[in-house]
Amino acid sequence: MDIRMNIMLSVAEVTEETKEQARRIVCAGLEERFGELDPSYNKDLDDIVSWYAGQGHLFLTGALEGQMVCTGALIREGRDVGRIARMSVWKPYRRRGIARCMLQELERRARHMGYAKLVLETTTSWLDAVQFYKANGYVEVQRDEEEVHLEKVLSHHAR
């Protein structure tokens, strides 16, 4: 049975004041998934505010009752294509619909920014993530031994 809480997720763009907590949430998820963290693969996390906002991208944080519990980013991939990245939910808050709320907000903002399509990738072995994105309308377009690439054409009616 899939029971969802009625979530009041407060979503905001990352700031100088919130960037360190956002980095901790993303890094905790990466360490949990991969067992270790190689900082050379995560240069965007060194200064989230300047890397994302400074390049016209978007990095969002989500909070419940003032506690940051998730992150999600939108990177400009092309004139009308955005890339979903850095989706992470702090472990104690998973399976409550929080990731879905963050993804829906990223999609809403992507439409507002003029994107017609969103793309993303995740590791092939991360079955929960692949299933999550497919359940939210993303279609697998490519797969190799390491990564699954998914995309979703955005409907501009749902602003």
Side-chain angles (χ1 to χ4, degrees):
M1 181 182 292
D2 189 18
I3 300 173
R4 300 272 178 215
M5 294 175 31
N6 186 10
I7 297 174
M8 294 301 297
L9 189 68
S10 174
V11 178
E13 290 188 37
V14 71
T15 64
E16 288 294 327
E17 293 74 33
T18 61
K19 71 181 182 181
E20 184 55 32
Q21 180 62 27
R23 188 188 68 75
R24 281 197 294 269
I25 287 173
V26 172
C27 288
L30 291 171
E31 283 189 64
E32 179 188 337
R33 181 68 194 145
F34 299 109
E36 62 183 339
L37 193 61
D38 182 344
S40 68
Y41 287 129
N42 300 289
K43 291 296 185 191
D44 63 309
L45 299 178
D46 291 344
D47 185 351
I48 294 171
V49 173
S50 62
W51 198 92
Y52 285 87
Q55 298 186 46
H57 307 308
L58 183 65
F59 192 104
L60 300 178
T61 62
L64 290 177
E65 299 175 353
Q67 171 66 55
M68 188 185 302
V69 297
C70 67
T71 63
L74 187 58
I75 299 169
R76 181 172 292 280
E77 190 91 342
R79 187 177 64 76
D80 62 352
V81 178
R83 174 171 297 279
I84 298 287
R86 298 303 188 196
M87 285 282 295
S88 192
V89 177
W90 191 23
K91 190 173 184 176
Y93 290 89
R94 292 189 190 143
R95 300 266 178 221
R96 299 185 191 190
I98 292 169
R100 178 171 287 136
C101 287
M102 177 57 78
L103 184 60
Q104 288 171 347
E105 180 62 14
L106 287 167
E107 290 173 355
R108 186 187 72 75
R109 291 186 186 217
R111 284 183 197 94
H112 185 73
M113 294 167 75
Y115 293 133
K117 179 171 71 172
L118 291 176
V119 298
L120 63 93
E121 80 240 356
T122 188
T123 55
T124 304
S125 61
W126 206 336
L127 302 178
D128 285 353
V130 174
Q131 182 180 7
F132 167 76
Y133 289 114
K134 286 182 176 181
N136 283 282
Y138 288 76
V139 176
E140 186 175 321
V141 293
Q142 183 182 342
R143 177 185 290 253
D144 59 32
E145 290 180 11
E146 294 181 11
E147 294 182 333
V148 178
H149 298 263
L150 301 118
E151 67 179 38
K152 181 176 185 177
V153 174
L154 297 176
S155 152
H156 284 278
H157 305 295
R159 286 188 194 243

